[in-house]
Amino acid sequence: MKKLFRSAALTLAATLSLAVTGCGSDEAPVADGTPVDLSTVTLKVGDQKAISIEVLLKASGQLDNLPYKIEFSTFTAGLPLVEAASAGGIDIAQTGNTPPIFGAAAKADIKVVGALAATGKGDAILVGKDSTVSSVADLEGKRVAVFKGSSANATLLLALSKAGLSLKDIEPVYLSPGDGYTALKRGDVQAWAIWDPYTAIAEQESGAKQIVAADTVANGNNFWVSGTKALADAGKVKAIEDFLRRYAAATTWSQNNVAEWSAKYAELTQISPAAAQVTWTRSIKQPIALTDAIVASEQEIADAFTEAKAIPGKVDFAKFVDRRFQQ
């Protein structure tokens, strides 16, 4: 567990900023039919230890016989991945439902190129084992840890709204996942909004309790995000097409081999096998079509952040969607 939290420190994203300009509303142009030599292409993939895309692809055999090169970089959460994609530091990354919204609000040079469904049961608001807080309504006046711009941020915002509260009714404490867990255990905060595997770790290790999960308040979707620069490169586009197919195959493998995948994940991250098993039973992310309904669901979340004045202005999420990779 300690290795998982330590390795969550920002790498490339620490030097990047969302202070970018120019995002057009049209899909980035690519020369159709242009011959591409994939052996000359290097696809830069942003990863998180919590997601472990590289390990999943390797465990499932999907990194074998690649026609291009892949470079993986590890980040702490989704918003730094969006920053890196916008700046051209990476070509593609997987995030939760909220980082693309924050990126769009900052006019980042990104497009959402794919969607993944998840149950949302591992994205939750946790309280300590002995806490008397038993509902979201009980959070009024309390300190709540959350990573700003993460899917947990949306879970918190929407759960509060459903309970008749707003962010103004609590004291948000914006912390990294590792620091949030420490703050909860020490009693520095009374609740913590977070996602798997951190949810499972806290439940298994310290007896933390869920008072609400994202499946009751928000969509559980994740998204693939690419920078517009990568999407204007014919070689990168071909590599992304292949990469997304490989990830879909790897996900199918993980669903059919949960025990093997959970064991490999536990070994990599040094978390308990029990926490790994819980995570990959309830939080496997299945690629799905990037439909109008999914875009509309994201728009609802974006509008909630706008209403809460948590992002600048109004986001038109559809303008940040590129559907060319739908199969």
Side-chain angles (χ1 to χ4, degrees):
M1 185 276 294
K2 292 180 180 179
K3 180 178 178 182
L4 176 63
F5 286 144
R6 285 200 305 268
S7 62
L10 293 180
T11 53
L12 178 62
T15 63
L16 302 176
S17 168
L18 269 178
V20 293
T21 59
C23 147
S25 61
D26 298 326
E27 295 180 0
V30 174
D32 293 333
T34 302
V36 174
D37 180 2
L38 281 176
S39 67
T40 67
V41 174
T42 297
L43 187 67
K44 295 178 289 185
V45 179
D47 202 355
Q48 300 177 53
K49 279 291 183 183
I51 297 178
S52 296
I53 294 170
E54 180 180 11
V55 177
L56 174 58
L57 292 172
K58 185 177 294 183
S60 61
Q62 291 300 319
L63 290 184
D64 297 340
N65 302 314
L66 279 174
Y68 48 90
K69 299 179 182 66
I70 291 186
E71 291 180 358
F72 289 95
S73 300
T74 302
F75 295 75
T76 193
L79 191 54
L81 287 164
V82 169
E83 295 174 347
S86 177
I90 59 174
D91 301 318
I92 190 168
Q94 184 186 132
T95 79
N97 58 15
T98 304
I101 291 170
F102 272 64
K107 303 190 186 306
D109 287 321
I110 59 163
K111 294 288 186 180
V112 171
V113 298
L116 306 101
T119 67
K121 293 180 179 179
D123 290 14
I125 300 176
L126 301 178
V127 296
K129 178 176 63 175
D130 300 319
S131 176
T132 59
V133 173
S134 60
S135 70
V136 176
D138 293 337
L139 294 178
E140 187 171 7
K142 303 292 196 301
R143 289 166 58 84
V144 182
V146 64
F147 192 102
K148 191 170 187 176
S150 68
S151 59
N153 202 166
T155 300
L156 177 60
L157 174 69
L158 297 171
L160 288 170
S161 178
K162 189 174 181 179
L165 301 174
S166 72
L167 290 173
K168 294 179 180 179
D169 295 310
I170 66 168
E171 184 179 347
V173 182
Y174 296 112
L175 297 172
S176 69
D179 290 339
Y181 185 36
T182 299
L184 182 68
K185 289 194 296 182
R186 288 179 178 172
D188 296 337
V189 297
Q190 286 72 60
W192 179 35
I194 194 59
W195 58 88
D196 267 338
Y198 305 108
T199 305
I201 291 170
E203 289 171 330
Q204 297 288 323
E205 184 178 85
S206 64
K209 303 176 295 185
Q210 292 190 21
I211 59 171
V212 69
D215 63 328
T216 65
V217 296
N219 69 51
N221 297 329
N222 277 39
F223 294 93
W224 290 108
V225 175
S226 289
T228 55
K229 182 178 178 181
L231 295 172
D233 183 308
K236 300 279 191 182
V237 167
K238 290 295 184 184
I240 289 171
E241 289 175 351
D242 179 80
F243 174 82
L244 293 177
R245 284 193 293 268
R246 288 172 184 268
Y247 181 86
T251 299
T252 298
W253 173 86
S254 70
Q255 290 175 313
N256 294 333
N257 299 274
V258 173
E260 181 180 350
W261 167 230
S262 297
K264 287 181 181 295
Y265 182 79
E267 180 182 357
L268 166 79
T269 57
Q270 295 186 357
I271 69 173
S272 72
Q277 182 82 17
V278 168
T279 295
W280 296 113
T281 299
R282 71 185 177 192
S283 293
I284 284 180
K285 300 169 182 65
Q286 179 65 48
I288 55 174
L290 190 51
T291 64
D292 290 343
I294 287 175
V295 173
S297 180
E298 282 295 286
Q299 186 64 54
E300 291 178 3
I301 296 176
D303 291 345
F305 275 104
T306 297
E307 184 177 352
K309 297 184 176 8
I311 57 175
K314 181 176 175 60
V315 166
D316 186 349
F317 191 78
K319 290 185 177 180
F320 290 82
V321 172
D322 182 337
R323 306 190 203 224
R324 79 179 80 177
F325 300 99
Q326 302 309 293
Q327 300 179 23

